[in-house]
Amino acid sequence: MNPNRIISHLCGDTVKIGDVTYKLKTPRNPELVPVKHLSDSLPQMMAQHLRWIMQKDLLGQDVFLIGPPGPLRRSIAMQYLELTKREVEYVALSRDTTETDLKQRREIRSGTAFYIDQCAVRAATQGRVLVLEGLEKAERNVLPVLNNLLENREMQLEDGRFLMAAERYDKLLQEHTKEELDSWKIVRVSEDFRVIALGLPVPKYKGNPLDPPLRSRFQARDIYYLPFKDQLELLYTAGPNIPAERVSQLLSLATTLCSQESSSLGLPDFPMDNLLPVLHVLNTFPMLSSQQLVQRLYPYNSILGKEGRSAVEGVLSRFELLDGRRQAAPATVTSVSMTKDLEGRANVTLSVADRNVSFQVPAGTKEPRPPNSSPSFISTPSHSQLLSEMMQSHMVKDICLIGAKGCGKSVLAREFGEMLGYSIEPVMLYQDMTARDLLQQRYTLPNGDTAWRLSPLVTAAIEGKLLLLDGIHRVNLGTLAVLSRLLHDRELDLYDGTRLLRWDRYQTIKEELQFSDEQLQERSIFPIHPSFRVLALAEPPVVGAGSSSSRGQQWLGPELLTMFLYHTVSPLGKAEEMDLLQGLTPNVPQEAAEQLLHLTHSLRNTNDPTAQSLASSLSTRQLLRICRRLSLYPEESVAHAVNKACLSRFLPSLARACLEKSLSNCSIQEAPEPTENTQDYSCTVKDGVLTIGSVSAPVYNPSEKMKVPDVLFYDNPQHMMVMENMLKDFLLGEHLLLMGNQGVGKNKIVDRFLHLLNRPREYLQLHRDTTVQTLTLQPSVRDGIITYEDSPLVKAVKMGHILVIDEADKAPTNVTCILKTLVESREMILADGRRIAKDRPNAIVMHPDFRMLVLANRPGFPFLGNDFFGSLGDIFSCHAVDNPKPQAELAMLKQYGPDVPDATLQKLVAAFGELRSMADQGTITYPYSTREVVNIVKHLQKFPGEGLANVVRNVFDFDSYNKDMREVLIEALHKHGIPIGAKTSSVKLAKE
């Protein structure tokens, strides 16, 4: 077999691969035939795969291409279909795929329900090839709907029709007329219908294993990476300027990391398919070290633990690729300009190691902003290095930025987009997001018809925006799979039958078939804009964590590695962070900023996990917040700010000791607490100005007075201090988070605070079943049509009210994380497709007075909530709320129970004070709060005749069944003269 004549076209209508001949048919819908998948030179291995598929096709069998992650299997399937001129029905399976996505979907038009055929039925009746990608992603027991179609070419449809195999149908047609068969609703399955399934081998990769009855209906073919020499030839042509030795070293590394030995060490597969784009980068920038490039393809420092890292470095050194030990060549973006002749491209000049290199990258339609000209972005050497590396990767592929939270990923992404003149489309990802949320959602028109709404992700692809996928580490891998074809091939099939094609493929179809854009749009085919790019943001994978562990997941597996080039946002150095703090908060006291950074970097640089977790509370974002506050209130102590940011009041004792030790090591002294009597904590409202302690603010003049809360509140110094603190942050424009145990008065403080400021509030209570939809919309039915009303959140945004979110720790953190975009970028997409944004047509504009006040219980046992502070704490200004000090509590109780004897109140305050300190030390679990004492005092005030011992049982009977607890309580209460639980056994009778 002559290798150059692997595929030959004989007399126009037959194709021959080697010795297998296939007769072509003219396609009825030529626009559905894949184009531009075949390359001019076909490696021998590919030809063998295609020949095998053709054999199976001639036998009328369905095939399953199995192999490692990456676009290769899909590419082979498409090449075969292009070669044989077959129409394709493609469906990417995900964990959200249901039977209706494959068979038939109900739609309503003008009040009538009817069925629309989906991909499997269309393929069967029209004689197309059904390409099913990602069988391991589908939930178990969804795919058996296809079993009978695969085996006997039969299927019973929802609308009463029955699909029947071609030969049986033709037999019946000899005895009956077509009209009769139609009246029996029998439909012929075309003899050209085939299925090509693409899947990964499970168990090696994550996913559901194949069901034996389904597996037995396919003929399998292992599609492994191309053989070494075929790959090498491809790579040589991609990088003509690169020494051949470097190319083969990179390929040897990749091959080694994909071998059996490597995977038994627990190393994920190297993304072989991304070598090609990376060689294009290396071809333009031959001065880059190979190790840096490998880091972009395979960020082993982030994914692997210590053993894994040393294993990879061992392989690197074996192929002499450890050349990145020397300092990376400093690179900066010097200029960006639009190209005159090509729309959607920009010329970028980078200076790398004192050489200027110019190259072209995709760009947006707006005027690019010159580098470093934004007032809100302070460039540091490491950021300009990162931006220039992102420019290089942007030339060839989509990018993913990995960095800890609060380290500036969103800011960098925004700067990157603006430098290239992109319109940016932020999409916040959350854990229970479905493939529908990503691509297209169902909704009903006012007349009750069903319709599909494109998601922002799809409109960004059509309009050529920069899509920011924020939080790719949160989404389930089975959902993200629907994007792999968009990221690899720039093609997408949507639920309503729309097809998006890569720009050049769309143009080819248009020219070859002589169609106009309108004609293609009628057939629901649209081009993806050539400038469209995806920039994903993610937090670092938790090394060694299973997918189910609570502390985050190891999300970066072999499949995701093939989708992006990875860049790590390293934490800023001390000097850089100092420049940043002083650049963004110019009035911050120098000494305070230095102390802060000294502390933060000493925490970040230790290997102690406790210190690391404290350091995560002092992210760059949080340091900026502290500096903004210190520049307005320079007399405040740094220690106070740090304790507030870390919520040290609720840290476990070990972590708190660590923080105190670090503070004293950095010689940061806590200012002595003002004694209660010396400082005047009064609040006054005079001439429309509210003053709490030493802070003043104008009183608001609301349009809706009835929404201003009014609450019974007895002033006490402790709560006044909290409110003074809140007012400071409120005036700085922050959103506030109040954390505390139950019953310490969080709601009362917030209501009193808003009452004093005269601010109307909207109230949202979260719970386990809160979803992203219920946060933004409240569905109701009017005249038989579902309408959506604005939720309190949207009302508050529109009207400029204060949104009080109560019990924030009770909702799943993957739901509350969508508040981040609202706080950070003041943008958010609502469940009905509207959006909150600044400068967009038809968007809801956020009122400048809108604020969020979030209330949550502290994390940890005995509270049953989620760790809201851990996942979202650093986007709010946090305040710890505690029970009032004994003196303040006594004064407050006197107001609740003016007739209760002082001695009784003092006993209560003392006893509860002791119980609380026991709860802090962990001797008892339940933190007794002011609410409990107030209820006892209210009872004594109303029924003075009842004995104290009897009334305190209202609180302590909860513990009457726990023997150890009961003994501890009785001892503590007896100590303070509260005679509780005197059993006959414990009364010692004295002698007369």
Side-chain angles (χ1 to χ4, degrees):
M1 187 166 127
N2 174 1
N4 301 331
R5 301 275 299 155
I6 301 170
I7 297 178
S8 49
H9 288 262
L10 302 171
C11 61
D13 56 354
T14 51
V15 174
K16 189 171 180 187
I17 306 186
D19 49 353
V20 184
T21 313
Y22 178 87
K23 210 164 158 21
L24 294 178
K25 293 186 181 169
T26 310
R28 272 186 301 187
N29 299 75
E31 72 277 6
L32 301 184
V33 177
V35 292
K36 295 198 75 163
H37 286 274
L38 279 169
S39 55
D40 307 333
S41 61
L42 208 73
Q44 186 73 33
M45 192 74 191
M46 297 284 257
Q48 288 169 8
H49 289 320
L50 292 175
R51 172 174 175 270
W52 176 84
I53 298 178
M54 191 175 273
Q55 287 176 319
K56 295 291 141 195
D57 193 358
L58 294 169
L59 282 169
Q61 293 172 333
D62 298 321
V63 300
F64 191 119
L65 306 182
I66 192 165
L72 184 64
R73 286 159 302 136
R74 181 176 51 237
S75 156
I76 288 178
M78 293 300 182
Q79 287 180 20
Y80 177 74
L81 300 182
E82 184 179 345
L83 192 65
T84 53
K85 300 248 181 298
R86 299 283 277 285
E87 300 166 25
V88 63
E89 286 286 348
Y90 172 91
V91 59
L93 301 172
S94 69
R95 64 181 192 146
D96 313 306
T97 306
T98 60
E99 176 191 33
T100 48
D101 293 323
L102 299 169
K103 284 171 75 176
Q104 287 189 313
R105 179 176 281 122
R106 281 179 82 154
E107 300 282 358
I108 297 174
R109 290 278 175 284
S110 51
T112 316
F114 65 103
Y115 286 95
I116 288 191
D117 292 347
Q118 296 305 303
C119 55
V121 178
R122 287 197 304 255
T125 51
Q126 313 276 328
R128 297 175 183 158
V129 175
L130 175 63
V131 176
L132 293 171
E133 175 153 35
L135 271 79
E136 74 288 338
K137 302 288 182 301
E139 289 284 329
R140 292 157 56 162
N141 303 338
V142 170
L143 295 173
V145 301
L146 298 176
N147 279 352
N148 206 17
L149 185 65
L150 293 166
E151 180 69 29
N152 302 318
R153 297 294 190 242
E154 290 182 351
M155 188 183 240
Q156 179 67 54
L157 300 182
E158 266 70 23
D159 61 3
R161 291 182 302 158
F162 181 72
L163 301 185
M164 185 184 274
E167 47 273 21
R168 268 191 66 200
Y169 185 94
D170 296 345
K171 235 184 215 162
L172 283 176
L173 203 53
Q174 291 164 5
E175 300 160 24
H176 306 274
T177 61
K178 174 131 179 36
E179 285 69 33
E180 280 182 288
L181 293 180
D182 284 350
S183 69
W184 297 333
K185 293 195 169 176
I186 294 178
V187 183
R188 180 176 189 270
V189 170
S190 163
E191 63 280 352
D192 296 331
F193 167 62
R194 298 284 182 277
V195 179
I196 300 183
L198 315 172
L200 305 177
V202 177
K204 180 176 176 184
Y205 300 99
K206 279 186 189 155
N208 298 313
L210 267 180
D211 190 22
L214 182 70
R215 167 182 157 162
S216 64
R217 292 178 164 91
F218 285 111
Q219 307 297 305
R221 175 89 169 176
D222 171 20
I223 307 282
Y224 198 66
Y225 307 107
L226 287 181
F228 193 87
K229 70 173 206 313
D230 290 353
Q231 285 268 39
L232 205 54
E233 277 172 21
L234 279 175
L235 297 177
Y236 282 152
T237 47
N241 303 345
I242 314 167
E245 182 190 17
R246 272 188 91 172
V247 180
S248 66
Q249 284 170 341
L250 278 169
L251 186 57
S252 311
L253 168 83
T255 318
T256 310
L257 287 177
C258 288
S259 65
Q260 291 287 312
E261 293 80 47
S262 299
S263 58
S264 61
L265 286 173
L267 304 180
D269 288 7
F270 190 92
M272 205 60 112
D273 308 278
N274 290 352
L275 275 175
L276 207 60
V278 160
L279 277 176
H280 286 298
V281 175
L282 195 56
N283 199 39
T284 317
F285 295 93
M287 70 289 281
L288 289 182
S289 80
S290 307
Q291 194 178 0
Q292 281 173 297
L293 283 183
V294 170
Q295 281 282 16
R296 288 187 210 179
L297 292 164
Y298 196 76
Y300 58 89
N301 284 334
S302 311
I303 337 175
L304 301 171
K306 201 165 172 209
E307 288 101 30
R309 282 204 294 267
S310 56
V312 173
E313 299 204 322
V315 181
L316 280 168
S317 68
R318 191 159 82 214
F319 296 116
E320 299 172 3
L321 291 170
L322 274 180
D323 50 3
R325 288 248 178 269
R326 57 170 201 269
Q327 190 54 41
T332 48
V333 181
T334 51
S335 72
V336 178
S337 61
M338 286 298 168
T339 49
K340 298 286 177 286
D341 46 347
L342 282 165
E343 200 198 355
R345 309 282 295 172
N347 289 323
V348 177
T349 309
L350 290 189
S351 93
V352 187
D354 310 326
R355 274 179 54 194
N356 281 350
V357 182
S358 293
F359 56 104
Q360 276 196 352
V361 295
T365 46
K366 299 196 291 197
E367 191 50 42
R369 218 194 48 219
N372 307 335
S373 62
S374 154
S376 60
F377 181 79
I378 307 284
S379 183
T380 64
S382 64
H383 283 165
S384 69
Q385 176 82 13
L386 180 63
L387 282 169
S388 61
E389 287 172 7
M390 283 163 69
M391 283 291 175
Q392 297 166 0
S393 300
H394 175 66
M395 179 164 75
V396 291
K397 205 168 166 63
D398 300 315
I399 310 173
C400 174
L401 280 185
I402 303 180
K405 57 169 186 275
C407 72
K409 298 186 292 292
S410 310
V411 181
L412 278 163
R414 191 139 271 154
E415 174 71 8
F416 176 74
E418 287 177 355
M419 268 161 63
L420 289 169
Y422 269 111
S423 305
I424 298 172
E425 181 70 75
V427 173
M428 190 74 189
L429 303 177
Y430 47 91
Q431 194 173 343
D432 42 11
M433 198 166 205
T434 63
R436 297 266 172 94
D437 297 325
L438 277 174
L439 302 176
Q440 260 188 331
Q441 292 170 320
R442 285 304 280 274
Y443 72 109
T444 42
L445 298 169
N447 64 357
D449 287 2
T450 51
W452 289 96
R453 179 192 303 117
L454 293 179
S455 72
L457 183 147
V458 177
T459 49
I462 295 172
E463 293 166 15
K465 297 181 177 173
L466 178 67
L467 177 70
L468 271 197
L469 290 179
D470 192 346
I472 200 168
H473 58 285
R474 278 190 282 268
V475 173
N476 186 293
L477 187 65
T479 302
L480 220 48
V482 294
L483 297 184
S484 71
R485 184 165 174 239
L486 176 68
L487 293 167
H488 287 137
D489 295 354
R490 288 290 185 260
E491 294 195 0
L492 198 56
D493 279 40
L494 300 178
Y495 297 116
D496 63 354
T498 306
R499 301 180 177 219
L500 303 183
L501 290 183
R502 201 171 77 190
W503 183 255
D504 57 335
R505 292 187 177 139
Y506 177 85
Q507 300 302 343
T508 307
I509 286 184
K510 214 167 100 175
E511 286 158 21
E512 283 184 1
L513 305 177
Q514 300 291 307
F515 280 167
S516 66
D517 285 335
E518 289 70 38
Q519 285 171 302
L520 281 170
Q521 279 170 25
E522 274 165 34
R523 294 172 161 82
S524 306
I525 293 179
F526 296 88
I528 286 181
H529 197 289
S531 301
F532 168 64
R533 277 288 195 272
V534 183
L535 178 49
L537 309 179
E539 287 172 24
V542 178
V543 174
S547 53
S548 58
S549 78
S550 57
R551 54 190 202 109
Q553 48 174 344
Q554 170 51 301
W555 52 270
L556 187 49
E559 277 180 80
L560 267 172
L561 281 172
T562 64
M563 294 186 195
F564 298 99
L565 291 181
Y566 292 86
H567 290 266
T568 315
V569 185
S570 46
L572 290 168
K574 206 160 161 184
E576 292 189 323
E577 204 156 15
M578 190 72 192
D579 293 344
L580 195 125
L581 295 180
Q582 287 178 327
L584 291 172
T585 53
N587 306 334
V588 67
Q590 176 84 18
E591 190 195 2
E594 280 170 2
Q595 284 183 327
L596 255 181
L597 282 182
H598 183 46
L599 171 75
T600 309
H601 284 270
S602 69
L603 285 172
R604 281 183 198 165
N605 296 336
T606 54
N607 292 331
D608 175 23
T610 322
Q612 295 271 315
S613 70
L614 288 170
S616 72
S617 302
L618 293 170
S619 62
T620 306
R621 180 193 284 138
Q622 193 65 277
L623 293 179
L624 278 169
R625 179 176 294 120
I626 294 175
C627 289
R628 278 201 296 273
R629 180 152 162 171
L630 287 174
S631 54
L632 266 196
Y633 305 104
E635 72 287 345
E636 287 195 5
S637 78
V638 176
H640 169 78
V642 170
N643 279 318
K644 181 165 161 277
C646 296
L647 275 187
S648 63
R649 169 71 186 80
F650 303 124
L651 285 174
S653 49
L654 194 70
R656 194 176 332 165
C658 174
L659 181 63
E660 282 166 10
K661 182 162 164 270
S662 305
L663 281 169
S664 67
N665 286 350
C666 299
S667 57
I668 300 176
Q669 265 86 38
E670 176 64 274
E673 280 278 310
T675 48
E676 284 179 14
N677 316 337
T678 53
Q679 197 156 350
D680 169 36
Y681 273 107
S682 59
C683 69
T684 53
V685 177
K686 200 166 146 201
D687 307 330
V689 174
L690 160 72
T691 307
I692 305 180
S694 58
V695 189
S696 304
V699 170
Y700 194 69
N701 187 12
S703 52
E704 295 194 28
K705 295 243 187 337
M706 66 280 180
K707 287 204 169 170
V708 177
D710 193 0
V711 62
L712 169 71
F713 189 87
Y714 295 124
D715 288 351
N716 66 64
Q718 188 121 359
H719 287 167
M720 283 298 152
M721 275 166 68
V722 172
M723 285 201 280
E724 179 191 35
N725 244 327
M726 284 165 63
L727 191 56
K728 285 181 178 176
D729 283 337
F730 193 82
L731 292 174
L732 281 166
E734 302 282 3
H735 300 266
L736 312 183
L737 167 64
L738 269 66
M739 303 244 351
N741 292 339
Q742 85 300 343
V744 294
K746 295 187 294 291
N747 288 71
K748 287 213 158 193
I749 289 176
V750 164
D751 286 353
R752 172 70 172 168
F753 182 69
L754 297 180
H755 175 73
L756 289 170
L757 279 171
N758 206 19
R759 291 270 188 162
R761 75 161 186 192
E762 300 286 344
Y763 183 85
L764 256 183
Q765 169 125 29
L766 305 190
H767 49 87
R768 185 202 75 171
D769 297 328
T770 305
T771 61
V772 174
Q773 278 73 22
T774 57
L775 273 179
T776 57
L777 293 180
Q778 291 171 329
S780 58
V781 177
R782 284 204 192 135
D783 309 329
I785 291 169
I786 298 178
T787 55
Y788 289 99
E789 315 233 317
D790 291 341
S791 70
L793 182 144
V794 181
K795 283 185 196 152
V797 167
K798 277 183 175 169
M799 317 281 294
H801 293 172
I802 306 293
L803 176 68
V804 175
I805 300 183
D806 200 2
E807 309 281 4
D809 56 319
K810 301 297 182 276
T813 47
N814 58 53
V815 172
T816 42
C817 73
I818 65 152
L819 299 174
K820 173 178 181 280
T821 45
L822 197 58
V823 173
E824 284 276 278
S825 49
R826 305 175 76 80
E827 290 197 10
M828 184 169 169
I829 295 163
L830 307 185
D832 62 352
R834 293 177 303 162
R835 57 169 68 224
I836 298 168
K838 299 193 274 285
D839 45 2
R840 300 203 174 198
N842 316 329
I844 301 169
V845 180
M846 186 185 287
H847 195 290
D849 295 334
F850 165 73
R851 253 354 134 60
M852 270 192 281
L853 297 187
V854 183
L855 313 179
N857 293 122
R858 69 176 172 84
F861 188 79
F863 296 94
L864 306 175
N866 304 305
D867 187 2
F868 182 84
F869 174 71
S871 58
L872 279 177
D874 74 339
I875 61 174
F876 294 102
S877 164
C878 304
H879 296 261
V881 185
D882 224 331
N883 292 298
K885 298 228 165 56
Q887 238 166 329
E889 190 168 37
L890 193 62
M892 193 164 91
L893 293 177
K894 273 188 180 153
Q895 292 179 296
Y896 276 108
D899 309 336
V900 181
D902 277 8
T904 307
L905 294 179
Q906 275 162 346
K907 279 180 189 174
L908 281 170
V909 170
F912 273 81
E914 173 151 358
L915 290 174
R916 283 172 202 151
S917 69
M918 287 160 92
D920 280 348
Q921 285 151 18
T923 328
I924 57 177
T925 51
Y926 183 78
Y928 293 93
S929 68
T930 304
R931 180 184 288 148
E932 272 95 354
V933 198
V934 167
N935 285 333
I936 291 175
V937 172
K938 281 181 177 168
H939 189 114
L940 290 169
Q941 168 72 15
K942 181 95 177 170
F943 305 106
E946 291 198 35
L948 180 58
N950 219 359
V951 181
V952 291
R953 282 187 48 194
N954 299 350
V955 170
F956 297 114
D957 271 7
F958 276 114
D959 304 305
S960 55
Y961 286 87
N962 180 337
K963 185 165 171 288
D964 305 342
M965 180 82 173
R966 195 177 68 223
E967 286 171 2
V968 172
L969 285 174
I970 289 175
E971 190 186 333
L973 293 172
H974 284 186
K975 187 166 136 191
H976 295 285
I978 301 175
I980 181 178
K983 293 211 175 35
T984 39
S985 62
S986 65
V987 177
K988 303 204 171 33
L989 297 175
K991 289 180 179 162
E992 284 290 313

